[in-house]
Amino acid sequence: MDKFRLCNIPAITHSRAMTFKRKHIIALIATLATVSALVAAAAFPALERHYMRQQAERDAVPLKLAVESLRATLDRYAPLPALIAERPALVELLSQPENARLADAVNEDLRQTAATVRASDVYLMDITGRTIAAASYREPASFLGRNFSYQSYFTQALNGFLSSFSVYGTTTGERGYFYAAPVEDGERIVGVLAIKFNISAFESIWRGTDSEIMVWDRNDFVFMSSRPDWHFRAIRPLSEATRRVIAQNLQYPIDRIDLLPITTTRLGEDAQLIEFEGDTNGSYVLTSQRLSDLDWTMASLTPRLPVTLQALNTLVIAGLIVVLGLVGLLAFLLRQARQTEAWAKEQEAKRRLETAVEERTRDLQTALSDLKQTQTDLIQAGKLSGLGQMSAALSHEFNQPLAAVKSYADNANAFLDRDRLDEARDNIARISKMADRMATISAHLRNFARRPQLATGPLLLNAVIQDALGVIEMRLASEGGRIIYTPPEHEIWVTGGHVRLQQVIVNLINNAFDAMEGHKTRDVTLTVTGTTVRVRDTGPGIDAEHSTQIFDPFFTTKAPGKGLGLGLSISYNIVSDFGGTLTAENHPEGGAVFSVVLRPAEPKQVAAQ
């Protein structure tokens, strides 16, 4: 019995030690959790203010756009009163206010002007402030007959200054912005022309955003807002002097002025936390921007709730991280007894992982070697493809001039045999011209690779077409056919290169004759309308299945040996480099029509080649 007890003493001691250790660990974890909760509660206000400042910075960007939009609209209307005031009919009416026919004409003219510039009203006042003409003359609440001598924009304009003024319309009930300018008869001011536009259009746009918008004047009086219940509310108490000025100018409805019940907390230079008493949203993050030229302030107000939720989410995530850390620490401490076994297993797993990594590394190195070899093969294939395209382009582009040179040379020999020297010289000159064209084509073969830096400039379209017809002349003489062309009566200048544009027209005409191979009547119609050149044939037209491929390199519907499929592709790239377009379609009466639309140019002494 004693032996049994003695044998179990270490076990009991160890059990008690483990129990004490567990209690100690649990107490430590509980203490850490309590401290973490207290730290989170203390850090929440600072974290929320941090997110509020971030929200204010984000709101500053759309607020700046709203400010610029408002200022741009105001600036658009600013010069209009001075421009309208220059109309002679206004001076005439001011000198003859009893002229009914003249008054009707001016009223209608102002109505049409207001509709054109999208103004709420345009009206004319004499030097006493009485309105003698208005765009709203048909409406019941028209300004006609009303006196606005008490308005500051009237007195400023009467003194010869351009003026502006924001006001609540005492006649129409609309909140508007007014611009005014003097109407002058020589050096004498005889009246004032004012223009009004409704500012509620801005508010309808603001209501579609996530934030609320408000605008207040230098007296902190809100006269524009996305919230109608904020209209004509002051964000600070108004002095009696300010109220007297507002009542005197009838700028705002003095009986509706009320104080917004708000409290503010500063967050930054242009950011505040504003709390509205009785508002369902509670409080807002306010970002403001000063419009110094108008003496206004525009503000964006974003509800505080999303910011508060963001701060709470951050604390919850941080709390979860802390909990996970504490749980991990607890698990680590409780599993110390099995550390040796776990370490052995970890070493075995590490060895296996290293072996797998080595094998995978060898596989990746082999794959990388194969990839490099494939890349080298693809580069070589690309070089061979480019060389093949360049060779095909040289053969295609030199074939037509060489055929013409051979024909001119044969003709020159025949003329020399007949002692017809003038005709022989003419053919030799044509051969020289063809040689020059071949040299120029060689210099511009890179156009197929779309090099926009090739020289372009103003050139005479009439001359280019005549040169192209000269190239086609030999084919017509040998194969038959006819080109129906009426030169334009006036010179037409376009942007491009002479030889390259001639090359395009020759390619289109040759394709048209190729499309009519075997037809009894082979007529090609060439028309010039403005800067558009159209080439029409009477062949079978373009198949629908080929309509998207006809400008692709090496695409052709001709029989083997009849073409390489490069002419239309080269022509398409040439016209694109000129800034124009080349299109193809079927004509309603049969055949195909290719249209070259070029950019117009001013006439120059030297055209690009």
Side-chain angles (χ1 to χ4, degrees):
M1 183 69 178
D2 294 337
K3 185 178 180 181
F4 175 76
R5 289 177 179 175
L6 290 175
C7 291
N8 282 273
I9 287 176
I12 295 173
T13 304
H14 178 73
S15 175
R16 290 177 178 176
M18 288 298 296
T19 301
F20 173 80
K21 190 174 182 179
R22 290 192 189 99
K23 290 182 178 180
H24 182 71
I25 291 173
I26 292 173
L28 176 62
I29 297 299
T31 302
L32 291 177
T34 303
V35 171
S36 299
L38 294 175
V39 170
F44 177 76
L47 183 63
E48 186 183 28
R49 289 175 63 87
H50 170 71
Y51 283 125
M52 287 180 184
R53 285 191 289 269
Q54 284 190 342
Q55 181 64 48
E57 292 176 358
R58 289 194 296 269
D59 290 343
V61 176
L63 177 62
K64 183 178 180 180
L65 295 177
V67 168
E68 295 302 326
S69 175
L70 177 60
R71 180 178 282 113
T73 302
L74 296 179
D75 292 344
R76 180 167 65 90
Y77 282 96
L80 292 179
L83 295 175
I84 300 173
E86 295 177 355
R87 297 178 180 177
L90 302 183
V91 177
E92 186 177 356
L93 179 60
L94 287 168
S95 63
Q96 305 176 36
E98 72 284 350
N99 190 331
R101 294 183 59 186
L102 181 58
D104 291 341
V106 172
N107 280 327
E108 181 59 23
D109 181 47
L110 294 182
R111 187 188 69 81
Q112 295 179 5
T113 300
T116 301
V117 301
R118 298 182 180 179
S120 178
D121 204 350
V122 181
Y123 52 101
L124 177 67
M125 296 166 282
D126 59 19
I127 58 175
T128 67
R130 185 174 63 89
T131 304
I132 62 174
S136 59
Y137 72 97
R138 296 180 178 178
E139 302 174 7
S142 173
F143 285 172
L144 276 177
R146 292 188 59 84
N147 192 295
F148 296 102
S149 59
Y150 58 87
Q151 293 288 4
S152 61
Y153 66 82
F154 171 79
T155 57
Q156 291 176 11
L158 196 61
N159 290 325
F161 301 101
L162 297 177
S163 62
S164 61
F165 193 61
S166 59
V167 69
Y168 175 81
T170 55
T171 302
T172 63
E174 295 179 350
R175 287 169 298 116
Y177 195 82
F178 295 75
Y179 282 105
V183 179
E184 300 177 347
D185 184 6
E187 297 182 355
R188 186 168 58 94
I189 297 176
V190 295
V192 172
L193 190 285
I195 182 171
K196 170 192 174 184
F197 67 93
N198 195 334
I199 62 178
S200 61
F202 293 101
E203 298 172 336
S204 62
I205 297 175
W206 296 340
R207 293 189 186 102
T209 62
D210 296 333
S211 302
E212 303 291 351
I213 300 290
M214 68 163 57
V215 182
W216 60 83
D217 59 13
R218 62 178 178 274
N219 297 315
D220 291 340
F221 185 79
V222 179
F223 62 94
M224 294 176 64
S225 173
S226 58
R227 287 269 299 267
D229 56 325
W230 290 349
H231 292 165
F232 313 118
R233 308 286 293 277
I235 61 177
R236 66 175 175 82
L238 299 180
S239 65
E240 289 301 323
T242 301
R243 287 179 176 270
R244 284 196 298 271
V245 172
I246 293 175
Q248 180 181 358
N249 293 333
L250 295 180
Q251 185 176 6
Y252 304 118
I254 194 68
D255 58 327
R256 292 183 55 187
I257 295 179
D258 194 7
L259 184 67
L260 276 174
I262 61 175
T263 57
T264 62
T265 303
R266 186 176 178 82
L267 298 174
E269 183 177 354
D270 294 318
Q272 301 178 30
L273 173 64
I274 293 187
E275 298 185 25
F276 288 81
E277 296 179 9
D279 194 307
T280 56
N281 289 323
S283 54
Y284 297 83
V285 177
L286 182 145
T287 306
S288 63
Q289 182 173 336
R290 182 72 174 167
L291 286 75
S292 56
D293 53 335
L294 299 172
D295 209 5
W296 293 353
T297 301
M298 177 178 282
S300 172
L301 294 88
T302 300
R304 178 184 181 180
L305 180 59
V307 178
T308 303
L309 292 178
Q310 186 179 10
L312 288 175
N313 288 338
T314 301
L315 288 180
V316 168
I317 293 173
L320 290 176
I321 293 174
V322 171
V323 169
L324 290 175
L326 293 177
V327 171
L329 177 62
L330 178 62
F332 171 76
L333 295 175
L334 294 177
R335 293 178 182 177
Q336 271 189 324
R338 294 182 292 178
Q339 181 178 6
T340 303
E341 181 182 357
W343 183 84
K345 291 181 179 180
E346 181 182 354
Q347 292 300 314
E348 178 65 19
K350 182 178 180 181
R351 185 187 63 78
R352 293 179 181 178
L353 178 61
E354 290 175 351
T355 302
V357 169
E358 291 176 357
E359 294 177 355
R360 185 58 177 168
T361 301
R362 287 194 295 269
D363 295 340
L364 289 175
Q365 289 176 345
T366 303
L368 181 61
S369 177
D370 295 341
L371 180 61
K372 289 182 178 179
Q373 182 62 38
T374 303
Q375 183 180 18
T376 302
D377 294 342
L378 288 175
I379 293 174
Q380 185 63 24
K383 292 179 180 179
L384 292 176
S385 175
L387 181 61
Q389 291 184 2
M390 181 60 70
S391 300
L394 285 169
S395 175
H396 183 272
E397 294 304 320
F398 285 151
N399 183 56
Q400 295 172 356
L402 286 175
V405 166
K406 184 178 185 306
S407 299
Y408 289 139
D410 292 342
N411 290 342
N413 286 331
F415 288 140
L416 289 173
D417 292 341
R418 301 172 186 174
D419 201 21
R420 295 166 61 179
L421 299 182
D422 291 339
E423 289 86 343
R425 289 191 184 97
D426 180 67
N427 278 264
I428 292 173
R430 291 174 180 266
I431 292 173
S432 177
K433 188 174 182 180
M434 289 295 104
D436 292 339
R437 178 173 180 268
M438 292 169 62
T440 306
I441 290 175
S442 177
H444 292 295
L445 271 176
R446 288 178 298 171
N447 184 60
F448 181 66
R450 293 192 58 82
R451 296 291 180 92
Q453 67 270 24
L454 293 179
T456 60
L459 55 90
L460 188 58
L461 180 59
N462 315 50
V464 175
I465 294 177
Q466 292 298 335
D467 290 346
L469 295 178
V471 175
I472 300 297
E473 181 181 341
M474 299 306 300
R475 177 170 182 174
L476 297 179
S478 61
E479 299 180 7
R482 182 177 59 162
I483 297 178
I484 302 173
Y485 170 62
T486 302
E489 297 179 357
H490 305 288
E491 291 183 347
I492 299 175
W493 289 86
V494 296
T495 300
H498 188 103
V499 173
R500 287 178 286 162
L501 182 56
Q502 175 185 336
Q503 174 186 356
V504 171
I505 297 175
V506 169
N507 283 343
L508 295 180
I509 295 176
N510 279 329
N511 281 346
F513 279 116
D514 291 343
M516 297 183 294
E517 185 176 2
H519 289 218
K520 293 181 179 180
T521 302
R522 303 175 68 200
D523 290 341
V524 173
T525 302
L526 179 63
T527 58
V528 177
T529 305
T531 60
T532 301
V533 180
R534 292 183 176 86
V535 178
R536 180 201 168 190
D537 59 61
T538 55
I542 304 171
D543 292 341
E545 59 181 336
H546 298 153
S547 59
T548 60
Q549 300 175 277
I550 56 176
F551 295 117
D552 293 344
F554 302 104
F555 176 80
T556 180
T557 58
K558 300 176 183 178
K562 294 292 185 178
L564 298 173
L566 287 173
L568 289 179
S569 177
I570 293 174
S571 299
Y572 183 89
N573 284 291
I574 290 174
V575 175
S576 296
D577 286 344
F578 294 164
T581 58
L582 172 59
T583 58
E585 60 183 350
N586 287 324
H587 195 276
E589 299 178 2
V593 179
F594 287 81
S595 300
V596 179
V597 180
L598 301 167
R599 292 191 295 119
E602 293 294 329
K604 297 291 182 181
Q605 294 297 326
V606 179
Q609 295 295 318

